[in-house]
Amino acid sequence: MDWGTSNLRAWGISRDGGISFSRSSDRGMGKLAREDYPGVLSGLLDEEVSGVSEVVICGMAGARQGWLEAPYLDAPADLAGLIFSAVAPDMPGSQLQPRILPGVCQKASGTEDVMRGEETQLLGLSALRPGFSGLVIMPGTHSKWALLDGTKIDRFTTAMTGELFEVLKTHSVLRHSLQGDLDGPERSEGFAAGLAIGIEHPERLTATLFKVRAGSLLSGRTAPWCAGFLSGLLIGAEVGGQKDWLVGGEVPLIGGTGLCNLYVQALARVGAIGRIIDATEATIAGLKTARKAQA
Amino acid sequence: MDWGTSNLRAWGISRDGGISFSRSSDRGMGKLAREDYPGVLSGLLDEEVSGVSEVVICGMAGARQGWLEAPYLDAPADLAGLIFSAVAPDMPGSQLQPRILPGVCQKASGTEDVMRGEETQLLGLSALRPGFSGLVIMPGTHSKWALLDGTKIDRFTTAMTGELFEVLKTHSVLRHSLQGDLDGPERSEGFAAGLAIGIEHPERLTATLFKVRAGSLLSGRTAPWCAGFLSGLLIGAEVGGQKDWLVGGEVPLIGGTGLCNLYVQALARVGAIGRIIDATEATIAGLKTARKAQA
């Protein structure tokens, strides 16, 4: 299962590798105290529990402020042995045997970074695309860029792109230009305009962001256009500012389809081809692969 | 007087140019409906009102959502004649004759931008430094960079640096690293570290911002260090990403001393010398200069 900050999702994996059930809940780490976890887990697996004992967990449940800290592996690291660094939290009076997989960190000064959950998707990718070597991008609230070689993660970095979009939209002066329904047809036109500027001038982001506001004041840009423009500026700056990470070949994009499609457009502008891989599929493949390693 | 979004400040200017009184209030545009303005103004000048009739106002009171819209001048523009584009709001039953100076906009596609209030400080600078020509930086919530030639503003841009600091500090995941007193002695060390990265890699800002969080998780960075680091990253990216605006010579910095000192450090790293000019002094000089033009 994937126990994140906001949500959690669990899948039953049968002996032949098939998915026998799936469950989800909004009882993410952000809403839980340490002592809440056992109850949430047994509640979630309630009906299925007779057939389940082993529970492999990735994500924020292993954070310091989660259920039980699963100390980070330090990159470069081989993800093939993730399960051997898992921690086993107490589950009193239950037949469930949960284990939490570690995240990965990068400690070298100036490159400090952390991930929890994405390492399992990367391990999944190594199973879905055997022998893959190169850059993988995982768009999201905190986009991860990782250089992967088989099951080895060489280095990675995090861009706060999704979160920047949300806090600017909600809390900054730009919110005045982003009121109401943001999904009109002009959103894609605004995205293309923002993307061009973001990719060409990632170094000017602190200034180009203000063009969202100025564009609506002076040129009567609509809210959907402004939302697309802001999204384009940010994704463009993320991709344009890190294009030296591109190593040739197709770039797997692990995430939701809508967001990943925006990254496909961004990558095309720097001469790269993005291939979307469903995030859930990558997570399940990673959990299976992690568990298999102990056999 | 300077009637901004959050606050307003008024100065009495006697015939010989001296300051005869000063008043301030927190009744900024953001807290006022259109009909509130006359009452706030007469309340503010209550005790002095027998000697005052002419009131020259700059700032957000002239915005569309302010007292009475003072349409923007379009850059390039000569600020010497600001007063001739002022608007005169109604002040029923009062001897006060308020006029609101216009802001400046820039309409050319891709460079859209707006200022309200800063144009008056720029006019003030042209009086405080007769014959000055070059780049002027006005650090703040929305930093303005303007190319000035005497009283003429050639072009300008706005960086959302100060607001980015505030929304990230308050609303993003970085807030967990920025709790408590942020003004410890390690703040300046963090600032220097962030400034170096921001100036060298302004194009990576979406990614380097996350180092604030990673640095506190992995390296035990304190909150003051993280606050300084975040501030350094943002100011560094603003200055490093726009260093092609530098045209040689000293760069006047109009703003508060503490913030301007940080920009002096940033400019030094790109080979430029910043000179701090008190913002209030610039505003008063601008208001005087604007009014004198009609004589």
Side-chain angles (χ1 to χ4, degrees):
Chain A
M1 64 184 288
D2 178 11
W3 206 320
T5 304
S6 314
N7 298 289
L8 60 100
R9 294 175 305 162
W11 303 273
I13 299 173
S14 55
R15 280 179 206 286
D16 64 0
I19 304 296
S20 57
F21 65 88
S22 75
R23 290 277 175 279
S24 64
S25 141
D26 65 355
R27 306 284 285 159
M29 179 207 69
K31 301 170 195 115
L32 299 179
R34 201 171 295 274
E35 59 272 22
D36 298 333
Y37 284 84
V40 172
L41 183 61
S42 39
L44 188 79
L45 300 180
D46 212 3
E47 299 168 23
E48 324 289 346
V49 78
S50 64
V52 175
S53 60
E54 217 182 327
V55 184
V56 180
I57 302 169
C58 69
M60 295 301 286
R64 198 172 304 164
Q65 67 274 39
W67 188 357
L68 178 64
E69 185 173 7
Y72 297 111
L73 298 187
D74 194 3
D78 192 336
L79 303 174
L82 269 186
I83 196 80
F84 303 112
S85 302
V87 298
D90 278 341
M91 195 71 195
S94 166
Q95 72 187 71
L96 294 172
Q97 297 169 352
R99 279 175 299 170
I100 307 176
L101 299 176
V104 177
C105 73
Q106 195 166 258
K107 286 186 180 156
S109 177
T111 72
E112 292 95 338
D113 220 314
V114 292
M115 61 166 64
R116 275 202 190 274
E118 293 91 350
E119 72 296 325
T120 301
Q121 296 181 317
L122 289 170
L123 180 61
L125 179 74
S126 76
L128 296 170
R129 302 276 172 104
F132 173 82
S133 172
L135 172 65
V136 183
I137 303 179
M138 306 152 97
T141 302
H142 296 160
S143 287
K144 303 289 180 187
W145 289 47
L147 288 180
L148 195 70
D149 182 8
T151 59
K152 295 197 187 83
I153 180 168
D154 181 28
R155 62 189 174 100
F156 69 100
T157 190
T158 302
M160 289 183 60
T161 310
E163 184 162 19
L164 279 166
F165 182 86
E166 284 303 320
V167 298
L168 288 168
K169 186 183 75 154
T170 310
H171 299 292
S172 82
V173 70
L174 305 186
R175 72 185 184 278
H176 301 300
S177 306
L178 297 163
Q179 300 283 323
D181 180 13
L182 300 181
D183 284 324
E186 286 158 331
R187 182 156 179 157
S188 58
E189 188 196 319
F191 179 77
L195 188 63
I197 297 171
I199 284 186
E200 192 174 355
H201 289 299
E203 79 284 3
R204 302 229 166 156
L205 186 64
T206 61
T208 53
L209 288 173
F210 192 70
K211 306 297 180 204
V212 176
R213 183 72 186 131
S216 70
L217 283 172
L218 297 178
S219 309
R221 298 303 192 180
T222 62
W225 192 94
C226 289
F229 185 73
L230 175 59
S231 158
L233 280 179
L234 289 166
I235 292 174
E238 177 188 340
V239 171
Q242 300 188 116
K243 59 189 178 193
D244 57 316
W245 280 63
L246 294 167
V247 290
E250 292 184 356
V251 179
L253 293 165
I254 303 177
T257 309
L259 182 60
C260 283
N261 269 324
L262 301 179
Y263 280 74
V264 169
Q265 293 176 55
L267 286 170
R269 283 190 164 260
V270 295
I273 297 168
R275 290 286 175 219
I276 301 174
I277 291 172
D278 182 74
T280 301
E281 196 187 341
T283 302
I284 294 173
L287 291 167
K288 281 187 198 174
T289 308
R291 180 169 169 274
K292 243 190 313 196
Q294 71 192 328
Chain B
M1 63 184 288
D2 177 11
W3 205 321
T5 303
S6 314
N7 298 289
L8 61 100
R9 295 175 304 162
W11 303 273
I13 299 174
S14 54
R15 283 181 203 284
D16 65 358
I19 305 296
S20 56
F21 65 86
S22 75
R23 292 276 175 279
S24 65
S25 142
D26 64 356
R27 306 285 284 159
M29 180 207 69
K31 301 171 195 115
L32 298 180
R34 201 171 294 274
E35 60 271 22
D36 298 334
Y37 284 82
V40 172
L41 183 59
S42 39
L44 189 79
L45 300 181
D46 211 3
E47 298 167 25
E48 324 289 347
V49 78
S50 64
V52 175
S53 60
E54 218 183 327
V55 184
V56 180
I57 301 168
C58 69
M60 295 302 286
R64 197 172 305 166
Q65 68 275 39
W67 187 357
L68 177 65
E69 186 173 7
Y72 296 110
L73 299 187
D74 194 3
D78 192 336
L79 303 175
L82 269 187
I83 195 81
F84 303 112
S85 302
V87 297
D90 279 342
M91 196 70 195
S94 168
Q95 71 187 74
L96 293 172
Q97 298 169 351
R99 278 176 299 169
I100 307 175
L101 299 175
V104 178
C105 73
Q106 195 165 258
K107 286 186 179 156
S109 176
T111 72
E112 292 96 337
D113 220 312
V114 291
M115 62 166 64
R116 275 201 190 274
E118 292 90 349
E119 74 295 324
T120 302
Q121 296 182 318
L122 289 170
L123 181 61
L125 179 74
S126 76
L128 296 170
R129 301 276 173 106
F132 173 82
S133 173
L135 172 65
V136 183
I137 303 179
M138 305 152 96
T141 302
H142 296 160
S143 286
K144 304 288 180 187
W145 289 47
L147 289 179
L148 194 71
D149 183 7
T151 59
K152 296 197 186 83
I153 179 168
D154 181 27
R155 61 190 175 99
F156 69 100
T157 191
T158 303
M160 290 183 60
T161 311
E163 184 162 19
L164 279 166
F165 182 86
E166 284 303 320
V167 297
L168 289 167
K169 186 185 76 155
T170 311
H171 300 291
S172 82
V173 70
L174 306 187
R175 71 185 184 277
H176 301 300
S177 306
L178 297 162
Q179 301 282 325
D181 180 13
L182 301 181
D183 285 323
E186 285 158 330
R187 181 155 179 159
S188 58
E189 189 195 318
F191 179 77
L195 188 63
I197 296 171
I199 283 187
E200 192 174 357
H201 289 298
E203 78 284 2
R204 303 229 166 155
L205 186 63
T206 61
T208 53
L209 288 173
F210 192 70
K211 307 296 179 204
V212 176
R213 182 72 186 131
S216 70
L217 283 172
L218 297 178
S219 309
R221 297 303 191 181
T222 62
W225 193 95
C226 289
F229 186 72
L230 175 59
S231 159
L233 280 179
L234 289 166
I235 292 174
E238 176 188 340
V239 170
Q242 300 187 116
K243 59 188 177 194
D244 57 318
W245 281 63
L246 294 167
V247 290
E250 292 184 358
V251 179
L253 294 165
I254 303 178
T257 309
L259 182 59
C260 283
N261 269 324
L262 301 179
Y263 280 74
V264 169
Q265 293 177 56
L267 286 170
R269 283 190 164 259
V270 295
I273 297 168
R275 289 287 175 218
I276 301 174
I277 290 172
D278 182 73
T280 300
E281 196 187 341
T283 301
I284 293 172
L287 291 167
K288 282 187 198 174
T289 307
R291 180 168 169 273
K292 244 192 311 195
Q294 70 191 330

